[in-house]
């Protein structure tokens, strides 16, 4: 009996694997609750963010993206400068924005757990955030590769509805929120809030759905503003 008990305790405290979140998320989230990990997952996610942002920035067809009446009247040199700024803005904005978000999002998760009556720490929620961000940024890297090798001019991910449903810019911004990897990450978030955050199944799914709806609303407002701006 004692060897079996010792083996069981070892399994419970085994170090979680960020790659395991793809095949066995519940197991990894249970381990995160006992032993949150930051270093290696953070490095992996940052590499994915950088790779995706750089590939997207280098591969984007800026002639198509910047095809706007606002460029009328500019000289060739000014248009080239605008393309350069857009390229580096896409790369550095994506990298630094993505990294900053990694440390802000856990605060939102921590608040969700607190509101639901659970007890957790920022470190655990940061670890959970990195595991869900791993999936999101796999999507970013895949989209970056597609953009780089195809020179696609679209601002929207090929893994989102915006790439398969023809729509104007305003609606496309909203449709871009329905991305395979984004939805996958929200499902993982619900599981993570339950098993790492220690809250009920109902509270975990409610929190994940509310956050997803908020993201949709933000996308809808962004789409509306895009439509208004395009019509000016």
């Amino acid at each position: 009996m004692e060897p079996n008990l010792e083996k069981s305790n070892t399994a419970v405290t085994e170090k979680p694997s960020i790659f395991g979140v793809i095949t066995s998320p519940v197991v990894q989230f249970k381990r995160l609750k006992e032993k949150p990990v930051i270093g290696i997952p953070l490095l992996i996610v940052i590499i994915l963010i950088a790779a995706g942002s750089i590939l997207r920035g280098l591969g984007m067809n800026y002639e198509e993206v910047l095809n706007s009446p606002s460029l009328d009247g500019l000289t060739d040199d000014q248009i080239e400068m605008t393309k350069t700024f857009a390229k580096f803005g896409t790369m550095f904005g994506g990298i630094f924005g993505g990294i900053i978000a990694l440390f802000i999002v856990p605060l939102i998760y921590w608040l969700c757990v607190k509101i639901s009556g659970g007890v957790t720490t920022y470190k655990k929620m940061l670890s959970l955030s990195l595991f869900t961000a791993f999936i999101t940024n796999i999507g970013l890297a895949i989209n970056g590769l597609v953009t780089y090798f195809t020179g696609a001019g679209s601002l929207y991910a090929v893994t989102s509805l915006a790439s398969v449903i023809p729509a104007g810019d305003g609606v496309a911004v909203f449709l871009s929120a329905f991305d395979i990897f984004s939805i996958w990450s929200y499902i993982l978030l619900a599981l993570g809030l339950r098993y790492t955050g220690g809250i009920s199944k109902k509270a975990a799914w409610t929190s994940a759905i509310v956050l997803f709806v908020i993201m949709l609303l933000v996308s809808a407002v962004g789409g509306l503003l895009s439509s208004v701006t395009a019509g000016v």
Side-chain angles (χ1 to χ4, degrees), residues 53-145:
S53 298
I54 291 172
L55 287 170
R56 186 175 174 81
L58 293 176
M60 187 75 72
N61 184 347
Y62 292 98
E63 290 185 5
E64 183 175 342
V65 173
L66 297 175
N67 184 19
S68 169
S70 62
L71 296 180
D72 291 346
L74 295 182
T75 65
D76 290 342
D77 288 341
Q78 289 173 327
I79 291 176
E80 286 302 317
M81 185 176 295
T82 301
K83 291 179 183 178
T84 301
F85 278 121
K87 178 184 294 186
F88 286 100
T90 297
M91 290 190 288
F92 291 109
I95 293 172
F96 291 111
I99 293 175
I100 291 173
L102 292 177
F103 296 96
I104 295 177
V105 169
L107 293 173
I108 299 174
Y109 296 169
W110 177 85
L111 183 60
C112 288
V113 172
K114 289 296 182 181
I115 292 175
S116 301
V119 178
T120 190
T121 63
Y122 175 80
K123 183 177 181 179
K124 290 180 181 180
M125 292 299 97
L126 174 58
S127 190
L128 169 60
S129 175
L130 292 172
F131 274 55
T132 57
F134 173 63
I135 298 301
T136 305
N137 287 291
I138 286 177
L140 175 65
I142 289 174
N143 280 284
L145 284 169

Side-chain angles (χ1 to χ4, degrees), residues 145-214:
L145 284 169
V146 172
T147 301
Y148 182 77
F149 287 106
T150 64
S154 175
L155 292 171
Y156 313 110
V158 296
T159 52
S160 74
L161 287 181
S163 67
V164 295
I165 300 178
D169 288 342
V171 177
V173 171
F174 177 73
L175 292 176
S176 67
F178 293 91
D179 179 88
I180 295 173
F181 291 94
S182 177
I183 293 173
W184 184 2
S185 72
Y186 276 98
I187 293 172
L188 291 177
L189 172 60
L191 296 174
L193 290 175
R194 181 184 180 190
Y195 293 104
T196 304
I199 60 179
S200 68
K201 180 179 180 180
K202 180 179 180 181
W205 280 98
T206 299
S207 297
I209 290 171
V210 168
L211 291 176
F212 182 69
V213 170
I214 290 174

